[in-house]
Amino acid sequence: MNIFLAYPGILIGSGGMEKVCASLANALCDRGHDVTVGYCYKGEERPFYSYKKSISLHSLMTGHLFSKPVLGRCITRRQKAFREVLRLFSRSYARGWNEYCKSQLLRENLRHELIEGHPDVVISFGPDMTYYIQQTYCKLPVITMFHMEPSHILEIAPKIEISALQQGTITQVLMPSFQKTIQHYCGNIPIVFIPNYVEQFCYDEKERENRPSKTIINVARVNKDQKRQHLLIEAFAKISQDFSEWNVELWGDKETYPAYVEEIKKLIQKYGLRERVFLKGTTKRIEEALLKADMFCLPSAYEGFPLSMTEAMSAGLPVVAFQSCPAVNEIVQNNVTGVLVDDGIDSLASGLRQLMDNQARRIWMGNNAHDAMKKYAPDKVWDQWEDLIEYTIQRFKSRGNI
């Protein structure tokens, strides 16, 4: 089968979406499918995650016209000026115009991929990409993926993207509860639940028990609005003197939000934690970092299906997170695979203390977390994707589109 993955961003990042794109492409390739990935970037950098040699990677941008290689930054000054005029009347109109302008930057190359490439199905990595596809060529079955809790996307989505979802063949979500959210905005459109896959790790329980020092780990891009690493530092500062053998490691992209990185560094200095809290940056060997850690903390405001957290659970780490965080509060079973706390620094510090102060409970929860992740094993998830692709094609044909 010929499958086209349409990615509305860049592939050089180290985040969850980039990892899902590479993993899905590689898995479908391994299963005998012809896979092409189209992305919206014109730079020369190689993707952070590896792709099979037989997978075709094509930029969809007509980059020869622009000095900046990222899609969102290629809108002309005149287009931006008109967008700001529209914003005076309607934010939705302004966003719609912005998306229309971006779609025109992709139109030539995207049309070539969709028509000359003859894909049997298109997997779109978001409603914005689905809109770009429909603006270009709408005679193919399209699966639209949601990688985030849907309300954070659909609350600000222009009407043209809502319409694109309604016209698409099928929508895929990461959590069953997300179905109602999408239907609230888009009506009774067809939706299928397929979670992210989770790598299955092995770990040495005895080695963890005998370590002289202990580590709380967080793996996420350093981002204030969503990931909120400052809350972990604030919470750890409240209890750090009671747990001198414990440290904190923050792994993830430090380049995208440099101002927040500086804020984090100032917090570390403020609380005298330069020898206790470490900004580690990105790595392609995150398994090693997880296996050297003792618990995972994710103070996010919202998530879709946090890969870093579920990989930590697979590596036998219990989780401390906020009860209010979507997806996290469905994946983590409170007091079984982790500790879910009320919003706030004091509550987070209390949750950390519960596990830092009780090794037996920590190990027990970590073992439970490891077992809970087995249902997300890669082969199980890729089986669901192959079934969805076949179902989507048949649904498209049954509607008289072919």
Side-chain angles (χ1 to χ4, degrees):
M1 196 173 295
N2 190 353
I3 301 171
F4 181 67
L5 273 58
Y7 190 78
I10 62 179
L11 300 178
I12 62 175
S14 60
M17 277 185 66
E18 291 92 341
K19 186 170 186 178
V20 169
C21 186
S23 300
L24 179 58
N26 289 334
L28 293 172
C29 180
D30 284 341
R31 290 176 173 229
H33 302 287
D34 295 323
V35 179
T36 299
V37 179
Y39 56 94
C40 301
Y41 182 71
K42 199 61 178 178
E44 299 298 326
E45 298 93 331
R46 294 178 62 84
F48 183 85
Y49 297 104
S50 299
Y51 286 80
K52 302 285 183 180
K53 290 184 179 180
S54 59
I55 295 173
S56 299
L57 301 177
H58 296 162
S59 172
L60 300 177
M61 291 184 62
T62 51
H64 60 281
L65 298 176
F66 307 97
S67 59
K68 296 180 180 179
V70 180
L71 177 61
R73 299 177 184 175
C74 290
I75 307 301
T76 67
R77 289 184 178 180
R78 182 175 296 181
Q79 290 169 333
K80 289 179 180 178
F82 186 62
R83 179 188 65 196
E84 296 311 306
V85 172
L86 288 175
R87 197 186 302 278
L88 297 174
F89 300 93
S90 168
R91 290 182 63 187
S92 179
Y93 288 164
R95 288 184 61 84
W97 169 252
N98 198 69
E99 292 306 295
Y100 171 78
C101 293
K102 290 197 290 186
S103 74
Q104 299 309 297
L105 300 177
L106 307 177
R107 188 177 181 86
E108 179 182 343
N109 290 348
L110 185 56
R111 183 175 179 83
H112 175 81
E113 296 293 342
L114 297 178
I115 297 177
E116 302 300 325
H118 302 290
D120 298 298
V121 65
V122 178
I123 300 177
S124 164
F125 277 67
D128 51 351
M129 194 72 231
T130 298
Y131 166 70
Y132 305 152
I133 291 165
Q134 291 185 356
Q135 277 289 105
T136 304
Y137 188 73
C138 59
K139 298 180 180 180
L140 291 168
V142 178
I143 301 169
T144 303
M145 307 171 78
F146 268 80
H147 292 272
M148 186 55 64
E149 196 281 322
S151 66
H152 288 274
I153 298 173
L154 297 178
E155 277 182 1
I156 59 174
K159 292 181 180 179
I160 54 175
E161 288 184 9
I162 300 295
S163 178
L165 283 172
Q166 292 169 335
Q167 295 174 44
T169 316
I170 202 158
T171 296
Q172 175 258 339
V173 295
L174 294 169
M175 300 299 298
S177 62
F178 293 169
Q179 178 174 344
K180 289 184 179 179
T181 304
I182 292 178
Q183 290 178 336
H184 170 75
Y185 290 95
C186 303
N188 191 30
I189 64 173
I191 298 173
V192 170
F193 157 64
I194 300 180
N196 282 333
Y197 84 102
V198 179
E199 293 285 358
Q200 303 296 293
F201 297 138
C202 297
Y203 58 96
D204 187 339
E205 180 181 312
K206 292 298 181 182
E207 190 272 335
R208 274 196 180 129
E209 291 178 359
N210 297 326
R211 288 175 186 161
S213 62
K214 306 293 183 182
T215 301
I216 301 168
I217 191 171
N218 169 273
V219 182
R221 69 184 179 279
V222 183
N223 168 262
K224 187 172 186 176
D225 293 335
Q226 182 189 357
K227 304 298 184 178
R228 308 191 301 182
Q229 284 90 345
H230 65 283
L231 298 181
L232 170 54
I233 296 172
E234 295 270 11
F236 181 70
K238 285 182 171 289
I239 58 177
S240 59
Q241 291 185 353
D242 297 334
F243 298 96
S244 59
E245 75 278 18
W246 282 84
N247 298 317
V248 174
E249 291 184 354
L250 305 176
W251 290 86
D253 170 25
K254 299 189 296 181
E255 308 301 323
T256 305
Y257 300 101
Y260 183 52
V261 171
E262 290 304 310
E263 184 179 329
I264 291 293
K265 290 178 179 178
K266 289 179 181 178
L267 264 185
I268 293 171
Q269 184 173 2
K270 172 184 175 181
Y271 292 115
L273 296 172
R274 283 180 293 181
E275 303 301 319
R276 306 282 303 279
V277 178
F278 305 97
L279 276 163
K280 306 290 283 187
T282 58
T283 177
K284 294 184 179 182
R285 303 170 69 92
I286 196 59
E287 178 183 359
E288 293 181 4
L290 293 173
L291 293 176
K292 292 177 181 178
D294 298 274
M295 55 190 288
F296 187 91
C297 181
L298 188 70
S300 294
Y302 55 91
E303 291 286 349
F305 187 105
L307 276 176
S308 63
M309 184 192 80
T310 53
E311 288 177 350
M313 295 171 74
S314 177
L317 300 184
V319 175
V320 178
F322 289 116
Q323 174 69 47
S324 60
C325 183
V328 170
N329 55 22
E330 296 182 61
I331 296 171
V332 177
Q333 188 176 355
N334 192 28
N335 294 321
V336 177
T337 60
V339 176
L340 297 176
V341 301
D342 294 333
D343 290 353
I345 294 169
D346 289 339
S347 296
L348 187 60
S350 177
L352 293 172
R353 179 185 289 275
Q354 288 182 46
L355 293 186
M356 295 164 72
D357 206 26
N358 191 330
Q359 177 171 272
R361 189 164 186 247
R362 216 167 49 237
I363 296 294
W364 177 75
M365 284 190 178
N367 291 337
N368 292 340
H370 172 78
D371 291 341
M373 294 301 100
K374 291 178 180 178
K375 63 184 176 182
Y376 304 121
D379 280 346
K380 294 180 180 180
V381 173
W382 305 141
D383 286 345
Q384 293 179 64
W385 267 105
E386 283 199 299
D387 290 343
L388 175 59
I389 289 168
E390 183 63 35
Y391 172 77
T392 301
I393 293 171
Q394 295 305 318
R395 178 182 176 84
F396 188 76
K397 291 179 179 178
S398 69
R399 291 165 56 183
N401 297 105
I402 296 180

